[in-house]
Amino acid sequence: MVTPFFETDRVQLFGGDSLAVLCDLPSHSVDAVITDPPYSSGGMVRGDRTQSTVRKYVSTGSSREDDGFNFTGDNRDQHAFAFWSTLWLSEARRVTRPGGIVATFTDWRQLAATTDAVQAGGWVWRGVLPWIKPNARPQLGRFTNQAEFVVWGSNGPMANLKEGKTFAGWMQESPPRDRDHITQKPLDVMRHLIGPVTPGGTVLDPFMGSGTTGCAAILEGRQFIGIEMVPRFQEVARARIEQALGDYRPDAEQSALFDGGAT
């Protein structure tokens, strides 16, 4: 049985390979899987994709251009990416309660493979949410690639609610300037994705990275389970989630407050 490296009454953080840890989690124990897995993208040919993640995703001369910000699992070809995605999505569905949701990031190159893998993993594909980046770099004579995508689905049928909130099917937010992880997502984007999760429910992120999903879950009044392989990011995620736990405050009008800190 895998043991968490950090645990509170609201959080469990595990170190190790995501698929191995997922296999150890109880069936139907979480309400949602919300995650940003390695896309194995960043290029048009196999040679591009096998470069380090820093070389693929960080501009030359950037202050982040060093090996300390590399992450693993991002060098598969498209067939391998699709098969691997089906494996972890299948196991994640087992862990998710009936009617629970999945929301997984991808880019335009891997969008088709990701939607296939979600369905091959046994989920009911529900749609695609674009995340629009208003500050994306334009290229003359071309459409600007200023979106990443969230493929979402459910573990079987979803309840037909008679009341409750609705949630926009798109998001617009600039990537954070100060990042602890190359592909770190904006906190507000992750909070939006957690909106449909039952209050007090448990969110699982099998590719935790710097812990933004965990921060969002805590601040939105949910429980969180995170998995991360790289020791550097395990410590970053733990520190950020501990801060979110300290900044969380239930309130009748505002469910959570977050005063400062990395996003």
Side-chain angles (χ1 to χ4, degrees):
M1 192 69 164
V2 178
T3 302
F5 67 83
F6 177 73
E7 185 172 20
T8 73
D9 60 342
R10 298 184 62 192
V11 172
Q12 287 184 309
L13 305 183
F14 294 91
D17 178 81
S18 59
L19 189 56
V21 178
L22 281 170
C23 290
D24 237 7
L25 297 180
S27 297
H28 303 164
S29 58
V30 306
D31 297 278
V33 178
I34 300 176
T35 191
D36 180 23
Y39 303 171
S40 291
S41 189
M44 299 300 295
V45 298
R46 171 69 173 163
D48 294 334
R49 293 179 183 179
T50 56
Q51 296 182 89
S52 74
T53 52
V54 167
R55 287 187 175 274
K56 286 198 289 185
Y57 303 126
V58 178
S59 301
T60 301
S62 166
S63 61
R64 298 301 196 200
E65 192 183 8
D66 65 75
D67 288 340
F69 289 87
N70 276 310
F71 59 92
T72 62
D74 198 67
N75 302 119
R76 297 174 176 88
D77 63 30
Q78 195 155 36
H79 287 293
F81 170 76
F83 293 146
W84 169 79
S85 296
T86 300
L87 287 173
W88 76 257
L89 282 159
S90 297
E91 199 59 27
R93 188 180 67 84
R94 178 191 63 78
V95 174
T96 304
R97 65 166 177 82
I101 66 170
V102 64
T104 180
F105 279 86
T106 190
D107 70 354
W108 64 270
R109 296 182 183 91
Q110 298 286 37
L111 179 57
T114 302
T115 58
D116 285 348
V118 165
Q119 294 170 90
W123 299 87
V124 178
W125 179 26
R126 297 286 179 178
V128 176
L129 288 74
W131 164 37
I132 308 299
K133 307 173 192 179
N135 61 347
R137 184 181 64 183
Q139 293 178 286
L140 293 175
R142 303 184 184 189
F143 296 109
T144 302
N145 287 325
Q146 63 185 115
E148 290 182 49
F149 303 94
V150 178
V151 179
W152 83 282
S154 65
N155 184 12
M158 299 180 71
N160 292 317
L161 302 179
K162 301 298 184 182
E163 58 183 23
K165 297 181 179 179
T166 59
F167 304 94
W170 64 283
M171 302 158 287
Q172 179 168 304
E173 190 78 27
S174 296
R177 285 180 173 271
D178 297 321
R179 307 181 211 178
D180 295 298
H181 192 287
I182 296 170
T183 64
Q184 187 168 319
K185 299 300 185 282
L187 181 62
D188 285 346
V189 166
M190 303 314 296
R191 292 180 78 163
H192 181 76
L193 294 177
I194 283 164
V197 181
T198 304
T202 300
V203 175
L204 167 66
D205 187 346
F207 308 95
M208 178 171 59
S210 60
T212 306
T213 309
C215 293
I218 294 302
L219 295 176
E220 292 297 323
R222 275 66 168 179
Q223 316 293 314
F224 180 68
I225 298 173
I227 306 169
E228 174 55 41
M229 178 182 287
V230 181
R232 171 193 174 90
F233 297 127
Q234 292 172 14
E235 293 309 308
V236 169
R238 172 177 178 161
R240 295 183 69 217
I241 289 169
E242 282 187 301
Q243 182 180 5
L245 286 165
D247 289 341
Y248 172 74
R249 169 173 80 81
D251 188 278
E253 297 182 356
Q254 183 175 355
S255 62
L257 299 177
F258 190 70
D259 301 320
T263 57

